[in-house]
Amino acid sequence: MTNGHPIREDEFELFALGVIAGEECASIQAHIDACPECARKLAEARGRVALLSLAAPQQNPPAALKQRLLETIRAEKSLRAVPVRGTRPAPRWWNTIWAPAALALAIATVFLWISDRRLDRQLHQMRQATQTYQAQTQRDRELVQILTARDTMTVSLSPMPQVPKAWASLKYNPRMGLVCYTGDLPAPPPNKVYQMWIVPASGAAVSAGVFMPAAFNQGRVCVAKVPRNISCKAFAVTLEPAGGMPQPTGAKVLAGAL
């Protein structure tokens, strides 16, 4: 059952083909009769099944089969009697062959289509996992670089009176343009974030990014990229509106001189 519905998204095509039977079929049909959303999805599935069956490539029969079929038709014409009024002609023998074959082809096509959709979802999840892994690998590489470089500077940030238990330490390398933050802060108020700033020797403060304390549950470490070769004299962390600000506007919670 998905979101209160007894049929999953990829099962509407199977139901349209009549593959689902028995009590499960009756339960699904009763739900569809009372659920406009599922009735719409079933109608769309039936339309897709019809299109898939029409899209199946036509097959040319072998020449020998075609010749035998023509001979059978000629024999029937020569032996055909006057039809009795009110009777229906018997179904052609080839209908008993091609009708099941067409149904089997339609079912196989729908199964392949459902499998393709599942594969697409799995590939999308794999791509997302790969991107996350690559981002984590890049972060770890930058962390090693800044921690092992001889020209990396360490700055301790002191808490302001409103956050007396907060603490933080920075590793800053102006040549690489990297800042590594390690610390702990209380959760900010709703719609607020913490934003880190580089205070240069002259000019306006430079943002080193916004962060939430929950982002540092694993090691409480954050690596940020900043413009290279800034002549820095201090660092600060302020409380800003969600999304951050181009310049500091909120209360200062951490500060430290280089």
Side-chain angles (χ1 to χ4, degrees):
M1 180 172 291
T2 305
N3 296 328
H5 302 280
I7 184 168
R8 299 195 304 269
E9 292 290 337
D10 55 359
E11 289 181 337
F12 281 100
E13 287 78 11
L14 302 180
F15 186 80
L17 286 168
V19 176
I20 301 176
E23 295 181 358
E24 184 180 6
C25 176
S27 175
I28 293 174
Q29 185 61 57
H31 174 78
I32 289 174
D33 292 341
C35 178
E37 180 182 355
C38 288
R40 175 183 57 79
K41 292 181 178 180
L42 177 59
E44 293 174 353
R46 284 172 173 161
R48 288 193 294 269
V49 169
L51 289 176
L52 287 171
S53 62
L54 291 174
Q58 295 184 354
Q59 303 293 328
N60 293 324
L65 178 61
K66 182 178 180 180
Q67 183 61 33
R68 260 190 328 197
L69 178 60
L70 292 175
E71 292 175 356
T72 303
I73 294 173
R74 293 192 191 98
E76 287 185 357
K77 284 183 177 180
S78 62
L79 298 175
R80 185 181 302 163
V82 178
V84 180
R85 182 175 298 178
T87 61
R88 296 181 59 187
R92 301 295 185 182
W93 62 269
W94 54 82
N95 289 341
T96 61
I97 298 176
W98 293 115
L103 178 60
L105 179 60
I107 293 175
T109 304
V110 171
F111 270 113
L112 288 174
W113 181 69
I114 294 173
S115 299
D116 286 344
R117 288 207 306 181
R118 289 175 176 171
L119 286 174
D120 287 341
R121 286 196 296 266
Q122 292 174 357
L123 286 174
H124 179 68
Q125 293 171 354
M126 290 176 64
R127 291 193 192 100
Q128 288 183 325
T130 300
Q131 292 174 354
T132 302
Y133 172 76
Q134 290 174 342
Q136 181 65 35
T137 301
Q138 179 63 24
R139 173 186 174 278
D140 294 342
R141 186 181 296 113
E142 293 171 347
L143 181 61
V144 171
Q145 289 175 348
I146 192 173
L147 292 179
T148 57
R150 292 187 177 183
D151 55 344
T152 295
M153 297 173 280
T154 302
V155 184
S156 295
L157 302 185
S158 302
M160 299 294 106
Q162 64 268 33
V163 287
K165 295 183 179 181
W167 63 270
S169 176
L170 288 175
K171 298 286 186 181
Y172 174 54
N173 191 301
R175 175 179 56 85
M176 298 178 183
L178 292 176
V179 177
C180 175
Y181 168 97
T182 305
D184 191 16
L185 280 165
N191 300 319
K192 294 286 186 178
V193 294
Y194 292 112
Q195 189 165 359
M196 184 165 52
W197 304 93
I198 298 177
V199 183
S202 62
V206 177
S207 174
V210 299
F211 61 87
M212 298 288 286
F216 310 121
N217 287 340
Q218 297 181 349
R220 304 172 185 266
V221 175
C222 173
V223 178
K225 290 185 177 182
V226 296
R228 296 186 180 187
N229 301 317
I230 296 177
S231 179
C232 173
K233 67 178 182 180
F235 285 87
V237 175
T238 59
L239 192 62
E240 302 292 346
M245 298 293 291
Q247 286 295 307
T249 61
K252 188 185 298 184
V253 294
L254 294 170
L258 189 63

